[in-house]
């Protein structure tokens, strides 16, 4: 087990878990330990646009990919779900980065 100096250790909100920060944040820290609700409430319009855009791009792609095997609706739904999830995760990552000072506000 590697012991870190106290300056690199930060206690998280629950139990004995620690978050190791190897480099200090470059930008202003708004919330050093945001909850899921904090992150989602911090979504900007650009984050929402990325989420909707990823979903919108994946739907026709899934439909086109399913034409040849004659399952266009099923592949469109599957691709739409994947695009929806990918867009949400991208928006979540950007919002979290802004809150903890890793991405510019």
């Amino acid at each position: 087990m590697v012991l870190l100096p106290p300056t690199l250790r930060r206690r998280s909100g629950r139990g004995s878990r620690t978050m190791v920060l190897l480099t200090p944040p470059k930008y202003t820290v708004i919330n050093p330990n945001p909850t899921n609700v904090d992150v989602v409430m911090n979504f900007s319009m650009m984050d929402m646009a990325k989420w909707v855009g990823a979903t919108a791009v994946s739907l026709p792609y899934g439909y086109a990919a399913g034409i040849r095997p004659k399952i266009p609706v099923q592949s469109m739904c599957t691709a739409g779900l994947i695009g929806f999830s990918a867009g949400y995760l991208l928006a979540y990552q950007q919002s979290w980065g802004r809150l903890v000072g890793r991405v510019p506000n």
Side-chain angles (χ1 to χ4, degrees):
M1 181 174 154
V2 177
L3 293 176
L4 298 172
T7 56
L8 292 179
R9 272 190 259 169
R10 179 184 292 169
R11 300 287 291 179
S12 67
R14 297 183 216 153
S16 63
R17 297 183 330 190
T18 59
M19 178 174 26
V20 178
L21 299 175
L22 299 178
T23 59
K26 293 180 182 179
Y27 305 101
T28 305
V29 176
I30 298 170
N31 186 347
N33 195 10
T35 62
N36 290 333
V37 174
D38 294 337
V39 175
V40 173
M41 294 301 291
N42 190 48
F43 277 12
S44 66
M45 288 304 289
M46 191 64 184
D47 293 333
M48 294 290 198
K50 288 177 187 177
W51 189 5
V52 170
T55 305
V57 166
S58 65
L59 290 169
Y61 177 78
Y63 188 86
I67 289 175
R68 183 75 172 154
K70 299 194 188 298
I71 52 167
V73 175
Q74 293 89 339
S75 66
M76 179 182 70
C77 292
T78 302
L81 181 62
I82 292 170
F84 180 85
S85 301
Y88 175 77
L89 291 174
L90 179 62
Y92 192 93
Q93 178 180 349
Q94 290 295 313
S95 178
W96 180 86
R98 282 193 306 274
L99 286 174
V100 298
R102 299 291 178 188
V103 177
N105 289 326

